[in-house]
């Protein structure tokens, strides 16, 4: 039984305390895929049969915590690390910045999340499965894990000209808005997510009424326009199954900000609008505000229809009781505009001459203001300490047996952004179509409500072949699409450089800029919600399958930016936190760990990760070669390959220095010098050695394609020596040893990711049985499946990173005893390539089951979790590697995909 865990300050969590934890007692629960608690068990009309489905009553029964508890044996190595980290943390704090990994303010366990909204690279707003609006990423790359109860939908039912039912349908009850009736009966509501859409079904049995809210974001493959738009649509289908006609209204309420203290800053105001700019007439409200010195406007709107009445409310107080809005709705199921209310309620008592004169004066002032303000209903700006909310109501009559659709949209317009260092100005990609003046919300709302049926058609055409394939497990269909949430809600940024010209901000195009970036923009996304580094390359290596399959131009754009960074050098001195050794930020011809921190200036200041000197990491250069060839194998873009070739030459030459004994293999340096940055490798390692051999093979093939015969000859000789040494030094008859050190105590551990090089090589269409003999590969995979998968919770946990030869966990580091979701999916993809489909799906099921069903980590899939219900780094990039499984299925088992 496990009594303590480990912590290190690398991509793990800082040690705030030393505690012991006991394993919870095992419960006799059926964890098999067939017993999946979130796989749909019954058909619901107009809702997909596959996805992640829970009732509002669903509760996560497991209490999970961020990882903070070390093993006593690891404390000595953490002392210096913690001291140096704290010095940097304090320096950042004094500068008004937060650390790229803030171990002192970890995100706590909130098993509430559902499908987020918004396109790719434009900011996102999360939603809980009970309807909460939560987890805002409006500031580029920065998350606020907040819940905003004022952002809600309200149902009003009227019968015989009398309100008979009124209740909030979304959002958790907060300390304000006490006049609102919260607490929709949880047993009567079901949530279903299949990214980029979700469905929430509400039953109101006392009125034989059924509501279905369909949430749609414009995300679908091979689209580089609509997919970048900051918008989502909510279609409320109202079905009357009773015998009486009912008047039904849905009201959408929203407030300024993101649920943080900054919301109380002064200067927020609302403004109504009507628009038919994109061919769909809409009416709604805008909330004008400033977020971190960047103008941002929220727009909520409803679609006009012949049988739908649209009304709006300019403002309500989100910090008040909410009584005025609630009673306004209850009165007739609609909203009275601010001007209508003012007509009913005189500003002053006119019994005296003074009061009459005052009223006349106020009316004159109001008239003059109306001449200069953009709308007669524009609210006044909020003062310090105040917030402002607004609302849109759609009202219709639903006859017995009839069904009506009420269509809402939420958009946000924040086209001009900057990062904390403010060295450059950027335009969001969507500004190419909607401008950068900040007044696009009416047009955005009209566009969304006009075009969402087209989005849904494209989404269904994309998803249908997979969803209808009876050879694929139900849970896998959910995992494949729902894990894709991270492409938008992973802090993604899709940008154009901007410049000021003649007093106007406009797009900046450099003549030296690669064509793919000129056409498709710069793209960045976070390593994780808590690990705030852009395009972390060792991790993107796993996640990149999602992009090369679905948005290949984004993957190529990332590669071009990485190629530019490889050639750069930054001699700014730095003290690295782990060992205290001194160095510089960026070494020429070394692939950087990441392209920077949004709290600094990404793309300019790379390598935000200052724990280790990553110019000496053994996997980064190799992964550039692997991705370059993999991308070419998919796109057949010879110009791309030629552009990347000089960079490939430089990084391979740089990597050759790591072969210290001339045996054709690179050696690890005895510290954590690769993506497992708390798990040391010494000498030849299965992970980096295998990546090296795969990179050699790919580089030789690239050189052959571009016609460099000298490089082909030189590196073929290295490969011939290296593959012989690899087999000799690491193969033990059952698997490849972790490394060749013989003295580390974990050199003969069974590593789940030991065949990472073989996986990528074969996935890219290159076969070479002399590098990784098929019998070795199959035997090693079977050993990993037995030890690392089936050895824990009967195979329902995924793949633990390391085990000892006897099957016990490798406890030499925190990461050896972690389950990495992305590595588990990569291992499953490798198994699929080798024809081990049953083992592959069992392996991947464990990761999905643990995160999405047991630990309550849906739509925030972490980098890692452990047996004792600890997790590390919520909302992580690497789980996108589930698309490597789909890649393997399509390329190696086309007969399965065609069924």
């Amino acid at each position: 039984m496990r009594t303590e865990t480990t912590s290190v300050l690398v991509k793990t969590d800082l040690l705030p305390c030393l505690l012991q934890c006991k394993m919870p007692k095992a419960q006799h629960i059926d964890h098999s895929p067939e017993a999946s608690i979130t796989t749909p068990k019954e058909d619901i009309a107009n809702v997909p049969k596959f996805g992640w489905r829970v009732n509002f009553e669903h509760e996560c029964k497991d209490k999970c915590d961020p990882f903070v508890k070390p093993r006593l044996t690891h404390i000595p190595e953490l002392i210096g690390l913690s001291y140096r980290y704290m010095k940097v943390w304090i320096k950042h704090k004094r500068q008004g910045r937060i650390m790229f990994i803030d171990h002192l303010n970890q995100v706590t366990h909130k098993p509430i999340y559902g499908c987020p909204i918004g396109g790719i690279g434009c900011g996102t707003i999360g939603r809980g499965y009970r309807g909460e609006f939560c987890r805002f990423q409006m500031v580029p790359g920065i998350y606020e894990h907040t819940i905003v109860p004022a952002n809600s939908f309200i149902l009003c039912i009227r019968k015989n000209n009398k309100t008979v039912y009124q209740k909030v349908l979304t959002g958790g009850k907060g300390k304000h808005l006490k006049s609102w009736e919260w607490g929709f009966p949880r047993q009567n509501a079901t949530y279903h997510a299949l990214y980029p859409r979700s469905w929430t079904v509400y039953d109101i049995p006392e009125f034989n009424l059924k509501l279905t809210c369909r949430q749609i974001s414009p995300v679908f493959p091979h689209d580089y326009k609509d997919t970048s738009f900051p918008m989502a649509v909510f279609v409320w289908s109202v079905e009357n199954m009773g015998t009486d006609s009912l008047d039904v209204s849905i009201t959408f309420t929203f407030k300024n900000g993101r649920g943080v203290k900054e919301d109380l800053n002064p200067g927020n105001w609302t403004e109504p609008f009507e628009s038919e700019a994109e061919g769909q007439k809409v009416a709604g409200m805008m909330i004008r505000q400033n977020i971190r010195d960047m103008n941002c406007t929220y727009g909520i709107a409803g679609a006009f229809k012949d049988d739908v009445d649209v009304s709006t409310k300019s403002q309500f107080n989100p910090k008040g009781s909410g009584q005025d809005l609630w009673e306004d709705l209850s009165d007739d199921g609609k909203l009275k505009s601010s001007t209508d209310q003012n007509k009913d309620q005189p500003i002053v008592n006119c019994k005296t001459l003074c009061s009459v004169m005052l009223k006349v004066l106020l009316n004159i002032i109001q008239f003059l203001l109306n001449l200069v303000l953009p709308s007669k209903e524009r609210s006044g700006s909020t003062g310090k300490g105040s917030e402002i909310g607004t609302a849109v109501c759609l009202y219709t009559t639903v006859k017995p047996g009839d069904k009506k659709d009420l269509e809402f949209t939420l958009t946000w317009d924040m086209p001009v952004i900057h990062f904390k260092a403010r060295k450059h100005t950027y335009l969001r990609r969507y500004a190419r179509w909607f401008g950068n003046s900040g007044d696009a919300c009416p047009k955005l709302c009209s566009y969304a409500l006009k075009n969402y049926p087209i989005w849904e058609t494209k989404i269904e055409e994309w998803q249908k072949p997979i969803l209808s394939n009876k050879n694929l497990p139900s849970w896998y269909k959910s995992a494949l699409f729902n894990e894709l949430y991270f492409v938008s809600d992973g802090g993604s940024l899709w940008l154009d450089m901007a410049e000021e010209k003649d007093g106007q901000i406009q797009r900046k195009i450099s003549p030296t800029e690669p064509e793919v970036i000129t056409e498709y923009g710069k793209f960045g996304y976070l390593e994780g919600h808590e690990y705030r580094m852009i395009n972390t390359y060792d991790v993107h290596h796993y996640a990149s399958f999602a992009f090369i399959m679905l948005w290949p131009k984004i993957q190529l754009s990332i590669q071009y930016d990485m190629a530019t960074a490889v050639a750069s050098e930054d001699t700014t001195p730095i003290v690295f936190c782990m060992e205290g050794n001194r160095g510089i930020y960026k070494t020429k011809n070394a692939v950087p760990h990441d392209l920077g921190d949004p709290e600094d200036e990404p793309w300019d200041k790379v390598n935000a990760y200052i724990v280790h000197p990553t110019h000496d990491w053994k996997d980064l250069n190799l992964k550039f070669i692997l991705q370059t060839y993999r991308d070419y194998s998919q796109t057949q873009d010879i110009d791309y390959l030629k552009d990347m070739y000089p960079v490939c030459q430089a990084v391979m030459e740089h990597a050759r220095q790591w072969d210290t004994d001339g045996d054709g293999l690179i050696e690890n340096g005895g510290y954590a010098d690769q993506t497992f940055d708390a798990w040391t490798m010494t000498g030849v390692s299965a992970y980096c050695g295998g990546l090296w051999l795969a990179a050699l093979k790919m580089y030789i093939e690239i050189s052959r394609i571009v016609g460099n015969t000298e490089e082909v000859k030189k590196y073929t000789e290295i490969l011939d020596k290296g593959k012989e040494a690899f087999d000799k030094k690491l193969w033990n008859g059952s698997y490849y040893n972790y490394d060749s050190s013989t003295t580390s105590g974990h050199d003969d551990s069974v590593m789940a990711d030991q065949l990472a090089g073989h996986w990528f090589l074969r996935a890219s269409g290159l076969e070479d049985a002399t590098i990784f003999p098929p019998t070795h590969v199959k035997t090693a995979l079977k050993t990993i499946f037995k030890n690392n998968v089936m050895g824990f919770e009967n195979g329902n946990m995924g793949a633990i990173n390391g085990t000892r030869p006897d099957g016990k966990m490798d406890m030499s580091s925190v990461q050896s005893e972690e389950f990495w979701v992305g590595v588990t999916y990569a291992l499953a993809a490798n198994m699929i390539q080798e024809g081990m489909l049953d083992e592959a799906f069992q392996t991947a099921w464990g990761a999905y089951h643990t995160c999405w069903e047991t630990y309550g980590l849906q739509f925030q899939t972490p980098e890692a979790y452990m047996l004792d219900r600890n997790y590390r780094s919520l909302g992580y990039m690497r789980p996108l590697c589930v698309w490597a499984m789909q890649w393997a299925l399509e390329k190696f088992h086309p007969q399965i995909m065609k069924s």
Side-chain angles (χ1 to χ4, degrees):
M1 178 176 290
R2 190 166 176 192
T3 58
E4 52 190 354
T5 58
T6 328
S7 177
V8 293
L9 174 66
V10 277
K11 290 182 192 174
T12 58
D13 296 334
L14 183 67
L15 170 64
C17 59
L18 302 179
L19 295 173
Q20 290 186 331
C21 70
K22 294 185 177 181
M23 284 277 290
K25 292 182 179 180
Q27 299 179 8
H28 297 288
I29 301 174
D30 185 356
H31 292 285
S32 65
E34 294 75 16
S36 166
I37 62 173
T38 63
T39 296
K41 302 295 190 300
E42 61 181 357
D43 290 343
I44 299 177
N46 302 312
V47 177
K49 295 182 179 180
F50 304 100
W52 187 80
R53 184 182 295 178
V54 293
N55 190 271
F56 274 24
E57 290 182 300
H58 173 73
E59 299 278 359
C60 175
K61 298 178 181 179
D62 291 80
K63 173 61 178 174
C64 299
D65 296 292
F67 182 77
V68 295
K69 308 175 184 72
R71 292 186 183 279
L72 294 177
T73 55
H74 295 135
I75 298 304
E77 67 188 53
L78 299 178
I79 295 174
L81 172 63
S82 299
Y83 168 73
R84 286 183 285 273
Y85 174 87
M86 284 304 303
K87 287 182 66 176
V88 181
W89 190 94
I90 292 170
K91 180 181 178 181
H92 278 65
K93 184 74 172 178
R94 288 172 175 170
Q95 294 173 343
R97 297 166 55 199
I98 53 178
M99 280 288 280
F100 65 97
I101 303 176
D102 190 357
H103 294 295
L104 301 185
N105 295 286
Q106 298 177 72
V107 177
T108 57
H109 185 225
K110 290 182 180 178
I112 66 171
Y113 294 107
C115 188
I117 60 173
I120 298 176
C122 56
T124 48
I125 300 175
R127 293 205 71 203
Y129 65 82
R130 295 192 185 113
E132 306 94 330
F133 283 83
C134 50
R135 198 170 70 198
F136 290 72
Q137 193 256 138
M138 306 306 294
V139 178
I142 305 297
Y143 277 84
E144 277 92 20
H145 292 79
T146 53
I147 299 172
V148 182
N151 299 344
S152 294
F153 289 98
I154 300 171
L155 169 67
C156 178
I157 303 174
R158 291 176 59 80
K159 184 177 177 182
N160 299 325
N161 295 319
K162 181 180 180 181
T163 296
V164 293
Y165 185 97
Q166 190 163 294
K167 193 175 287 287
V168 180
L169 296 176
T170 58
K173 182 178 181 180
K175 62 180 180 180
H176 305 299
L177 302 173
K178 295 185 183 300
S179 292
W180 293 13
E181 188 173 337
W182 303 86
F184 186 88
R186 293 185 176 184
Q187 70 274 15
N188 292 342
T190 300
Y191 178 81
H192 184 104
L194 189 67
Y195 185 82
R197 297 189 294 175
S198 70
W199 294 255
T200 309
V201 181
Y202 301 83
D203 289 313
I204 301 96
E206 57 266 46
F207 296 99
N208 292 306
L209 195 69
K210 178 180 178 181
L211 306 179
T212 302
C213 178
R214 191 165 81 256
Q215 172 186 300
I216 310 118
S217 293
V219 178
F220 37 88
H222 306 289
D223 179 89
Y224 301 92
K225 181 187 174 186
D226 286 35
T227 291
S228 72
F229 291 170
M231 53 182 63
V233 171
F234 305 91
V235 180
W236 287 85
S237 294
V238 184
E239 186 175 1
N240 185 353
M241 298 176 289
T243 58
D244 298 319
S245 184
L246 298 173
D247 298 323
V248 177
S249 71
I250 304 286
T251 300
F252 188 14
T253 63
F254 216 79
K255 83 168 196 69
N256 69 289
R258 300 104 63 211
V260 296
K261 289 183 179 179
E262 189 184 347
D263 297 358
L264 299 173
N265 289 348
N268 308 299
W269 49 277
T270 66
E271 179 183 359
F273 66 87
E274 288 190 8
S275 174
E276 202 170 356
E278 296 294 328
Q280 170 63 59
K281 187 177 181 181
V282 301
M285 296 296 305
M286 289 183 285
I287 305 175
R288 306 274 195 171
Q289 61 206 308
N290 185 281
I291 296 176
R292 297 274 187 98
D293 296 324
M294 293 172 280
N295 291 327
C296 176
T297 302
Y298 292 151
I300 61 173
F304 276 101
K305 292 182 177 181
D306 291 339
D307 54 354
V308 175
D309 179 270
V310 185
S311 58
T312 63
K313 189 174 185 66
S314 294
Q315 57 184 305
F316 70 91
N317 181 8
K319 297 181 69 177
S321 68
Q323 183 177 358
D324 56 339
L325 185 146
W326 195 259
E327 291 183 351
D328 184 7
L329 271 179
S330 181
D331 183 46
D332 61 0
K334 303 177 184 180
L335 295 172
K336 296 183 179 68
S337 67
S338 299
T339 53
D340 290 340
Q341 289 176 313
N342 288 338
K343 290 176 182 177
D344 294 337
Q345 300 173 3
I347 296 174
V348 293
N349 190 317
C350 300
K351 291 183 178 179
T352 66
L353 179 62
C354 291
S355 63
V356 171
M357 293 177 63
L358 179 59
K359 180 180 179 182
V360 171
L361 179 61
L362 289 174
N363 286 338
I364 292 172
I365 294 173
Q366 183 65 53
F367 173 76
L368 294 174
L369 287 174
N370 288 343
L371 294 178
V372 297
L373 294 180
S375 167
K376 65 180 181 179
E377 291 187 34
R378 167 177 167 171
S379 71
S381 295
T382 58
K384 186 176 180 180
S386 298
E387 298 177 349
I388 192 165
T390 191
V392 175
C393 175
L394 298 182
Y395 179 101
T396 191
T397 298
V398 189
K399 296 179 180 179
D402 201 1
K403 184 169 73 171
K404 296 286 186 68
D405 284 347
L406 304 175
E407 301 167 330
F408 293 91
T409 185
L410 167 63
T411 68
W412 50 96
D413 188 21
M414 193 177 185
V416 183
I417 65 159
H418 58 76
F419 298 107
K420 194 65 173 276
R422 304 184 71 134
K423 185 176 179 180
H424 299 295
T425 301
Y426 292 90
L427 297 175
R428 304 263 197 193
R429 178 169 175 80
Y430 78 87
R432 292 192 184 189
W433 295 275
F434 290 94
N436 59 39
S437 61
D439 59 359
C441 273
K443 188 175 180 181
L444 287 166
C445 289
S446 181
Y447 187 93
L449 289 170
K450 172 69 174 180
N451 288 280
Y452 82 84
I454 299 174
W455 305 341
E456 289 200 285
T457 297
K458 292 181 178 180
I459 292 168
E460 288 167 0
E461 289 174 350
W462 161 41
Q463 294 183 340
K464 184 178 179 180
I466 294 170
L467 299 179
S468 62
N469 191 319
K470 296 181 179 179
N471 293 319
L472 301 176
S474 297
W475 64 264
Y476 170 76
K477 298 170 184 178
S478 174
L480 186 68
F481 293 111
N482 282 324
E483 290 284 19
L484 202 60
Y485 85 96
F486 198 80
V487 299
S488 63
D489 198 24
S492 60
L493 302 159
W494 204 349
L495 308 172
D496 289 317
M497 290 286 293
E499 61 182 351
E500 186 173 338
K501 192 171 183 179
D502 298 328
Q504 300 293 321
I505 298 294
Q506 63 182 30
R507 182 180 163 204
K508 178 181 179 180
I509 301 177
S510 170
T512 60
E513 188 175 71
E515 183 179 347
V516 70
I517 293 180
T518 299
E519 178 65 24
Y520 297 100
K522 299 174 78 69
F523 187 86
Y525 66 135
L526 298 179
E527 180 177 333
H529 293 170
E530 298 186 83
Y531 286 11
R532 204 185 53 260
M533 294 162 280
I534 296 292
N535 294 352
T536 300
Y537 201 67
D538 59 307
V539 182
H540 170 71
H541 181 72
Y542 294 79
S544 63
F545 281 90
F547 290 100
I548 195 61
M549 292 181 73
L550 303 175
W551 297 278
K553 299 299 184 182
I554 288 180
Q555 167 62 13
L556 299 191
S557 175
I558 292 173
Q559 283 289 96
Y560 274 100
D561 273 336
M562 194 59 65
T564 299
V566 168
S568 69
E569 185 176 45
D570 183 350
T571 59
T572 305
I574 184 68
V575 176
F576 296 102
C577 292
M578 188 68 189
E579 301 291 345
N581 46 331
R582 296 177 180 272
I584 62 175
Y585 264 96
K586 173 64 176 63
T587 301
K588 189 174 183 179
N589 294 334
V591 173
H593 171 274
D594 59 80
L595 292 185
D597 178 357
E599 284 283 278
D600 198 334
E601 192 65 59
W603 288 285
D604 270 16
K605 192 73 173 180
V606 303
N607 280 337
Y609 177 78
I610 57 171
V611 178
H612 292 296
T614 56
H615 75 279
D616 198 36
W617 272 24
K618 305 307 185 292
D619 59 337
L620 288 169
N621 280 19
L622 312 181
K623 287 173 176 176
F624 186 86
I625 304 294
L626 297 178
Q627 288 186 54
T628 296
Y629 185 80
R630 189 274 319 274
D631 297 346
Y632 170 74
S633 75
Q634 179 75 352
T635 65
Q636 294 297 299
D637 187 339
I638 189 65
D639 292 332
Y640 163 74
L641 196 67
K642 290 178 178 179
D643 288 344
M644 293 297 111
Y645 187 63
V647 185
C648 291
Q649 283 183 291
V651 299
M652 285 301 285
E653 192 63 29
H654 181 88
R656 282 184 60 201
Q657 67 179 303
W658 299 322
D659 180 4
T660 57
D661 58 6
D663 65 350
L665 284 177
I666 61 173
E667 279 80 34
N668 290 89
Y671 76 98
D673 54 356
Q674 28 65 45
T675 196
F676 297 90
D677 59 348
W679 197 7
T680 61
M681 298 177 183
T682 305
V684 176
S685 68
Y687 184 73
C688 291
L691 291 174
W692 168 249
L693 294 177
L696 284 172
K697 179 68 177 179
M698 287 187 177
Y699 180 67
I700 292 166
E701 183 64 16
I702 295 170
S703 297
R704 185 191 64 77
I705 293 170
V706 302
N708 192 333
T709 56
E710 290 185 6
E711 292 288 275
V712 170
K713 180 180 179 182
K714 179 172 73 174
Y715 281 92
T716 298
E717 291 174 357
I718 296 173
L719 176 59
D720 288 341
K721 288 194 300 182
K723 62 188 180 185
E724 181 179 344
F726 186 76
D727 192 76
K728 182 179 179 180
K729 291 184 175 182
L730 296 179
W731 181 250
N732 65 20
S734 298
Y735 58 93
Y736 291 98
N737 284 337
Y738 181 75
D739 65 29
S740 63
S741 63
T742 71
T743 58
S744 66
H746 59 275
D747 58 287
D748 58 349
S749 287
V750 183
M751 184 187 195
D753 213 11
Q754 63 182 266
L755 291 168
H758 165 76
W759 160 55
F760 226 91
L761 184 67
R762 208 165 170 221
S764 304
L766 286 179
E767 302 281 351
D768 192 333
T770 65
I771 301 177
F772 302 101
T775 55
H776 287 17
V777 170
K778 208 68 168 283
T779 301
L781 288 174
K782 289 181 178 178
T783 301
I784 295 167
F785 185 70
K786 176 185 176 182
N787 276 36
N788 301 55
V789 178
M790 297 307 296
F792 299 87
E793 296 292 332
N794 296 317
N796 293 301
M797 285 284 288
I800 197 170
N801 279 337
T803 65
R804 303 295 298 133
D806 61 3
K808 295 180 180 179
M809 73 172 68
D810 178 344
M811 296 188 292
S812 62
S813 82
V814 58
Q815 291 177 342
S816 60
E817 53 185 298
E818 288 182 329
F819 296 76
W820 285 13
V821 181
V823 167
T824 295
Y825 289 148
L827 174 62
N830 205 345
M831 291 173 171
I832 290 171
Q833 291 178 178
E834 300 305 316
M836 301 170 61
L837 272 72
D838 290 343
E839 294 89 341
F841 284 120
Q842 181 64 50
T843 297
W845 153 253
Y848 176 79
H849 170 63
T850 301
C851 293
W852 290 73
E853 301 199 328
T854 306
Y855 285 6
L857 300 176
Q858 70 281 348
F859 294 104
Q860 54 181 328
T861 316
E863 158 76 314
Y865 54 86
M866 304 176 81
L867 288 169
D868 52 14
R869 287 152 179 75
N870 287 156
Y871 58 80
R872 184 169 59 77
S873 185
L874 291 177
Y876 201 74
M877 177 193 290
R878 204 176 330 236
L880 283 173
C881 192
V882 68
W883 279 86
M885 294 178 64
Q886 188 63 21
W887 173 284
L889 286 167
E890 292 179 8
K891 292 189 178 297
F892 292 85
H893 302 280
Q895 74 285 357
I896 289 178
M897 297 310 301
K898 291 178 181 178
S899 298

